[in-house]
């Protein structure tokens, strides 16, 4: 049975209502991730003996890393339809759907697919990789930097990469928020899923339906 047929036979695939755990993890990522990004400039005081900005950024960043860890665990061990193996666009068929969505956007047509399908899956995979990189590099700095001293050696190299990653975060946020906004303007209010509200869903067959999250 092909992947396409499997998705058609599985009525609950990407259209199943989001559970409370998934929504809370997503909100945790949004709040902690945004706070960590916004407080990044404050962390430059780590070279001083008084380093409240670094302390704030460090602990908020570790909170974001915790939610990233939960998201990774869910993507590996969660329900089958939520696992990375079921939606990350690494197969020919999934990459084809990504290409179809991009060509559709160039014709000013919004993709009409279930969550995680096509271009949406690519954007979410990109976001997870960005935040995973920031969590790993930030975690390394959390345990290796000595407040009151300049970073040297490997710690300095990782710090430079971590700071470079801060420039990629707004790129993902702009893409993700922009996509949600465009869908909302087109009548598909995906943002309501994160507030346990009704949202028009697209079934694997392409039909619209209203679900309660």
């Amino acid at each position: 049975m092909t992947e396409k047929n499997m998705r058609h036979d599985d009525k609950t695939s990407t259209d199943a209502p989001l559970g409370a755990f998934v929504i809370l993890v997503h909100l945790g990522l949004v709040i902690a991730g945004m706070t960590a990004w916004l407080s990044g400039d404050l962390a430059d005081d780590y070279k001083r003996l008084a380093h409240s900005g670094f302390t704030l950024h460090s602990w908020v960043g570790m909170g974001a890393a915790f939610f990233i860890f939960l998201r990774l665990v869910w993507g590996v061990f969660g329900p089958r339809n939520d696992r990375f193996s079921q939606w990350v666009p690494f197969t020919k068929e999934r990459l084809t759907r990504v290409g179809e969505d991009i060509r559709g956007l160039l014709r000013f047509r919004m993709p009409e697919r279930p969550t995680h399908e096509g271009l949406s899956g690519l954007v979410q995979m990109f976001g997870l990789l960005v935040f995973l990189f920031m969590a790993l590099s930030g975690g390394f700095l959390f345990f290796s930097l000595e407040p009151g001293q300049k970073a040297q050696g490997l710690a300095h190299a990782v710090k430079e990469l971590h700071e470079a990653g801060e420039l990629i975060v707004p790129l993902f946020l702009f893409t993700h928020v922009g996509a949600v906004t465009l869908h909302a303007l087109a009548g598909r209010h995906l943002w309501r899923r994160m507030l346990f509200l009704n949202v028009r869903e697209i079934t694997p067959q392409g039909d619209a339906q209203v679900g309660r999250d």
Side-chain angles (χ1 to χ4, degrees):
M1 182 178 293
T2 66
E3 180 181 343
K4 183 176 181 180
N5 289 334
M6 288 176 64
R7 287 182 178 276
H8 281 195
D9 290 340
D10 188 355
K11 304 299 184 183
T12 64
S13 60
T14 52
D15 296 276
L18 297 179
F21 177 81
V22 174
I23 294 176
L24 291 176
V25 168
H26 185 275
L27 291 177
L29 273 174
V30 170
I31 296 172
M34 284 293 295
T35 305
W37 176 60
L38 292 172
S39 63
D41 290 340
L42 301 177
D44 285 339
D45 67 355
Y46 79 94
K47 293 170 283 191
R48 306 170 187 168
L49 291 178
H51 46 269
S52 57
F54 174 75
T55 300
L56 171 65
H57 177 71
S58 296
W59 283 107
V60 171
M62 292 303 289
F66 172 72
F67 285 107
I68 282 288
F69 172 75
L70 291 180
R71 181 64 184 88
L72 292 177
V73 170
W74 189 260
V76 175
F77 301 105
R80 186 178 67 85
N81 295 312
D82 290 339
R83 295 177 187 175
F84 299 135
S85 60
Q86 300 298 310
W87 63 266
V88 171
F90 60 83
T91 67
K92 181 179 179 180
E93 186 173 354
R94 296 176 196 175
L95 289 173
T96 297
R97 288 195 285 269
V98 172
E100 291 173 351
D101 289 351
I102 293 176
R103 289 191 294 272
L105 285 176
L106 294 176
R107 300 187 187 97
F108 302 100
R109 288 167 42 199
M110 290 296 298
E112 289 287 319
R113 298 190 188 277
T115 306
H116 288 150
E117 289 274 346
L119 185 58
S120 172
L122 182 65
V123 171
Q124 293 185 54
M125 180 191 71
F126 172 64
L128 283 173
L129 290 176
V130 168
F131 281 107
L132 176 61
F133 169 77
M134 296 301 289
L136 291 176
S137 58
F140 176 84
L141 295 174
F142 180 84
F143 291 106
S144 62
L145 284 182
E146 290 290 339
Q149 302 179 21
K150 292 188 65 174
Q152 297 181 359
L154 180 59
H156 175 74
V158 174
K159 183 181 76 71
E160 293 296 318
L161 290 173
H162 187 74
E163 291 177 350
E166 291 180 354
L167 302 177
I168 305 177
V169 172
L171 174 61
F172 164 69
L173 293 176
F174 175 80
T175 304
H176 186 49
V177 174
V180 172
T181 301
L182 288 175
H183 274 102
L185 293 174
R188 191 181 179 203
H189 299 278
L190 300 177
W191 60 271
R192 296 168 63 90
R193 291 165 61 87
M194 295 304 157
L195 300 176
F196 301 93
L197 300 174
N198 290 331
V199 62
R200 185 171 67 90
E201 282 292 354
I202 305 299
T203 68
Q205 290 79 10
D207 301 323
Q209 66 180 20
V210 176
R212 178 121 185 133
D213 294 336

